[in-house]
Amino acid sequence: KISDAFGMMKHVLANNTADKILCGGITALVMLLAQNKELGQRIRTFLQDRDLTHFINEARELVTTWPDRFVTPLDLAYEQDGKRMEADVSKIVESNELQTKLFPDLGSKSIELYKTEIAKAGSVFVNGPAGVYEDSRWEKATKEIWKAIAACNAYTVIGGGDTITAATKFTNLEDYSYVCTAGGAMVRFLSGKKLPLILAMEKAWERDKE
């Protein structure tokens, strides 16, 4: 969920758990708008219908506080006459026609940028697909980024239902260091929130030491 993502991002940036955050899916669109890169009224309506526009201000605060820590898309994919097309974000910002489109996937330049960042990483945590991977037109980013994560030398952690479904579709789960089926709980843990079971285990450990 995007709400979980924002809670986690602020926490891992504040305590320097994350060096870089690579943005995909709806989070990427929100982050671009927070950087004053206008994507058009159709995207804003899409966010409004899902009660997500309030995240733009929260995203603006994050990119203002940590401007060098976010990696956002260079280009995005859209549909034209039933086919996948791609456009640079700078072109979308300038084009009234492109601003009538939805953007269900990252573009090829973004994919290569993200793969480069992944190859340099010492550890990688991923939660959520990069696009609407269920449709073959919009699976490219998720497919290529997941393959890059599975093949990299970093310690890799994936979590959450959609994440694992996508990873299973495009890669071998044995290629990841750790696969967590409780994605929501993992995100909350990384957001600095206490989990009841962890608290109970800590208390039990303290009792056993007494």
Side-chain angles (χ1 to χ4, degrees):
K1 295 179 182 179
I2 190 171
S3 56
D4 289 339
F6 271 87
M8 179 178 61
M9 287 192 295
K10 187 171 185 177
H11 185 73
V12 299
L13 290 172
N15 64 16
N16 288 317
T17 303
D19 297 315
K20 295 280 186 178
I21 294 179
L22 282 57
C23 301
I26 293 175
T27 303
L29 302 178
V30 170
M31 298 307 295
L32 288 171
L33 291 172
Q35 295 172 328
N36 298 317
K37 296 175 181 177
E38 184 55 56
L39 302 176
Q41 187 56 46
R42 190 171 182 190
I43 289 295
R44 288 190 176 272
T45 300
F46 175 87
L47 296 174
Q48 287 168 1
D49 290 345
R50 290 156 180 80
D51 195 27
L52 300 175
T53 52
H54 62 280
F55 285 110
I56 298 172
N57 288 334
E58 192 170 342
R60 188 171 289 117
E61 179 183 337
L62 292 176
V63 296
T64 300
T65 306
W66 294 283
D68 300 325
R69 307 281 280 280
F70 287 94
V71 182
T72 53
L74 300 174
D75 56 350
L76 298 168
Y78 63 96
E79 180 182 354
Q80 184 71 44
D81 298 326
K83 297 180 180 179
R84 176 191 175 101
M85 304 292 288
E86 297 181 356
D88 290 354
V89 170
S90 59
K91 297 294 184 184
I92 297 170
V93 170
E94 298 170 356
S95 171
N96 291 332
E97 181 181 354
L98 288 173
Q99 287 186 19
T100 65
K101 307 294 184 182
L102 290 175
F103 303 103
D105 199 17
L106 305 180
S108 300
K109 294 177 182 177
S110 304
I111 294 168
E112 292 306 312
L113 173 63
Y114 287 23
K115 287 164 65 175
T116 298
E117 293 289 345
I118 290 164
K120 296 187 295 185
S123 59
V124 177
F125 166 78
V126 58
N127 181 254
V132 186
Y133 71 93
E134 299 90 343
D135 186 321
S136 60
R137 293 172 299 173
W138 318 122
E139 71 176 16
K140 183 176 181 178
T142 301
K143 182 178 182 178
E144 293 197 27
I145 290 170
W146 258 236
K147 285 186 173 182
I149 294 167
C152 74
N153 294 320
Y155 185 85
T156 54
V157 179
I158 66 172
D162 258 354
T163 306
I164 295 172
T165 300
T168 302
K169 181 176 181 179
F170 301 121
T171 58
N172 188 332
L173 291 184
E174 294 181 358
D175 292 332
Y176 301 95
S177 306
Y178 183 70
V179 177
C180 179
T181 55
M186 182 170 64
V187 168
R188 285 191 288 276
F189 179 74
L190 290 172
S191 300
K193 297 176 181 177
K194 295 291 185 180
L195 302 181
L197 180 57
I198 301 297
L199 284 174
M201 292 171 67
E202 290 173 348
K203 290 178 180 178
W205 170 255
E206 292 298 328
R207 283 199 305 271
D208 289 343
K209 290 196 301 181
E210 294 176 354

